């Protein structure tokens, strides 16, 4: 198992969340998180950030562009 | 999350044969499901909403023209997004707004201020001096709207490569494999850019929640 300081742990959170760490590192992170409340808070902040990023307002094609594209698709070949 | 959660779209082979057969409903479904994310990605390359819309339009026109030749070497979504990124890059060159894709961005060094951790002479070197705060859940509409606005600003201020990766991954919900394929970057590079971008946005949120707390 690899040991992490808090300062090291904060740099591998994305790799940890993506399950891209080797097994000793993963185990080290899990042990660290099980006993370090501070890093737990930081990881929670990171997760909240990721969640909030997925909540951006939706974008939309203008009606005119959508119509133009539908008609381009229609005229692609004779129906 | 993710405007192309894709759960409503059928598998690729069905999508492709429907498009080739001229199935308008299928084309409309793709258009409505993917254009939202495409607009956001286009905007990271070009300067105006109109340009972004033209990039998305040109992309779909290219897709319509090329669907018969689609070889299925990637997913349809990745294929469409690669056309989008190439179209957007060309457009940004015309606008003389070339992404400094290869220029030096700050891709190294710590993402958390080292002074927030104890030094080597402490009992627990590298541990937090002060615990990171527990953030409130933005339950109220007003708070959620403010956070949304703040994140929009934070995204706009990111270096281009970080911005495009975090937009694809976290705003649009692409997988890391998809992002690597679309942008033709390595998994490690993708992760570094994503992590740095997330850390910047987290920092902005931290400042915001801190200021909210102090105002209370």
């Amino acid at each position: 198992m690899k040991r992490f300081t808090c300062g090291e742990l904060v740099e591998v959170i994305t790799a940890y969340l993506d399950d891209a760490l080797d097994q000793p590192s993963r185990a080290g992170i899990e042990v660290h998180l099980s006993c370090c409340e501070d890093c737990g808070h930081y990881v929670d902040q990171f997760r909240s950030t990721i969640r909030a990023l997925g909540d951006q307002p939706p974008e939309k094609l203008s009606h005119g562009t959508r119509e133009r594209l539908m008609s381009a698709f229609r005229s692609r070949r004779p129906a | 999350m993710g405007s192309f959660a894709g759960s409503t779209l059928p598998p690729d082979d069905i999508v492709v044969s429907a498009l080739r057969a001229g199935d308008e409903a299928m084309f409309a479904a793709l258009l409505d499901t993917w254009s939202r994310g495409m607009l956001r990605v286009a905007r990271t390359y070009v300067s105006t909403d109109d340009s972004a819309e033209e990039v998305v339009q040109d992309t779909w026109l290219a897709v319509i023209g090329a669907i018969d030749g689609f070889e299925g070497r990637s997913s349809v979504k990745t294929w469409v997004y690669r056309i989008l990124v190439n179209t957007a890059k060309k457009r940004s060159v015309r606008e003389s707004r070339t992404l400094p894709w290869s220029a030096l961005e700050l891709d190294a060094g710590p993402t958390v201020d080292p002074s927030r951790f104890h030094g080597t002479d402490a009992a627990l070197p590298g541990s937090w001096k002060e615990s990171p705060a527990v953030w409130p859940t933005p339950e109220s509409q007003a708070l959620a709207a403010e956070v949304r606005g703040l994140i929009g600003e934070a995204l706009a201020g990111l270096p281009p490569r970080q911005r495009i990766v975090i937009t694809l991954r976290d705003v649009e919900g692409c997988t890391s494999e998809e992002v690597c394929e679309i942008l033709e970057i390595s998994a490690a590079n993708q992760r570094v850019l994503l992590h740095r971008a997330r850390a910047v946005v987290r920092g902005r949120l931290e400042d915001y929640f801190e200021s909210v707390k102090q105002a209370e």
Side-chain angles (χ1 to χ4, degrees):
Chain A
M1 186 185 82
K2 185 171 158 33
R3 292 176 67 88
F4 290 88
T5 66
C6 303
E8 289 164 349
L9 186 141
V10 297
E11 300 303 340
V12 296
I13 295 174
T14 292
Y16 172 69
L17 295 178
D18 270 358
D19 208 4
L21 292 174
D22 56 30
Q23 211 283 325
S25 300
R26 182 168 188 86
I29 298 288
E30 272 158 11
V31 167
H32 184 120
L33 286 176
S34 70
C35 55
C36 177
E37 204 174 66
D38 295 352
C39 282
H41 291 172
Y42 189 86
V43 171
D44 286 345
Q45 290 185 354
F46 225 74
R47 288 188 196 273
S48 300
T49 302
I50 295 166
R51 222 176 6 254
L53 278 158
D55 188 36
Q56 282 290 285
E59 310 249 349
K60 217 175 162 211
L61 274 186
S62 71
H63 183 69
T65 301
R66 192 180 183 283
E67 283 307 297
R68 252 194 309 284
L69 287 169
M70 285 309 297
S71 109
F73 183 75
R74 265 191 294 272
S75 58
R76 172 177 163 268
R77 64 176 64 183
Chain B
M1 201 160 83
S3 25
F4 35 62
S7 50
T8 55
L9 293 172
D12 272 5
D13 51 340
I14 296 180
V15 170
V16 172
S17 43
L19 291 181
R20 285 179 181 158
D23 182 336
E24 280 181 43
M26 182 64 77
F27 183 68
L30 290 191
L31 202 54
D32 294 335
T33 310
W34 290 345
S35 291
R36 295 179 282 177
M38 290 164 70
L39 277 168
R40 210 187 297 281
V41 169
R43 196 158 301 140
T44 66
Y45 288 90
V46 297
S47 51
T48 67
D49 289 357
D50 285 350
S51 297
E53 178 134 340
E54 276 175 45
V55 165
V56 173
Q57 175 179 295
D58 291 351
T59 301
W60 283 117
L61 291 174
V63 167
I64 292 169
I67 187 68
D68 283 335
F70 175 70
E71 289 172 356
R73 267 181 286 181
S74 63
S75 71
V76 178
K77 183 171 101 179
T78 304
W79 178 62
V80 171
Y81 263 76
R82 283 179 68 154
I83 298 176
L84 173 81
V85 166
N86 287 326
T87 309
K89 276 185 187 163
K90 275 185 216 143
R91 175 85 191 208
S92 72
V93 170
R94 273 219 312 280
E95 284 184 356
S96 317
R97 191 175 177 271
T98 318
L99 265 189
W101 194 249
S102 55
L104 278 179
E105 284 179 13
L106 199 59
D107 287 347
T111 58
V112 179
D113 183 349
S115 72
R116 294 181 68 172
F117 301 103
H118 287 292
T120 44
D121 49 352
L124 271 174
S127 61
W128 292 95
K129 287 181 185 164
E130 255 186 73
S131 184
V134 176
W135 289 352
T137 324
E139 277 159 6
S140 81
Q141 291 294 323
L143 185 61
E146 258 193 84
V147 166
R148 215 172 282 134
L150 189 85
I151 287 186
E153 278 171 35
L155 286 172
L158 286 173
R161 297 192 308 156
Q162 291 181 25
R163 182 177 172 189
I164 182 107
V165 169
I166 199 173
T167 298
L168 284 166
R169 273 299 299 276
D170 290 344
V171 184
E172 296 305 327
C174 290
T175 64
S176 56
E177 291 77 17
E178 286 170 339
V179 176
C180 291
E181 259 193 69
I182 292 167
L183 300 176
E184 300 179 282
I185 56 178
S186 70
N189 196 359
Q190 188 258 168
R191 202 172 307 122
V192 168
L193 292 166
L194 179 63
H195 186 72
R196 303 201 73 79
R198 284 173 171 173
V200 170
V201 178
R202 188 214 63 86
R204 290 286 293 272
L205 286 176
E206 179 174 59
D207 293 345
Y208 170 73
F209 286 126
E210 191 61 34
S211 71
V212 170
K213 210 166 79 185
Q214 275 167 8
E216 269 169 11

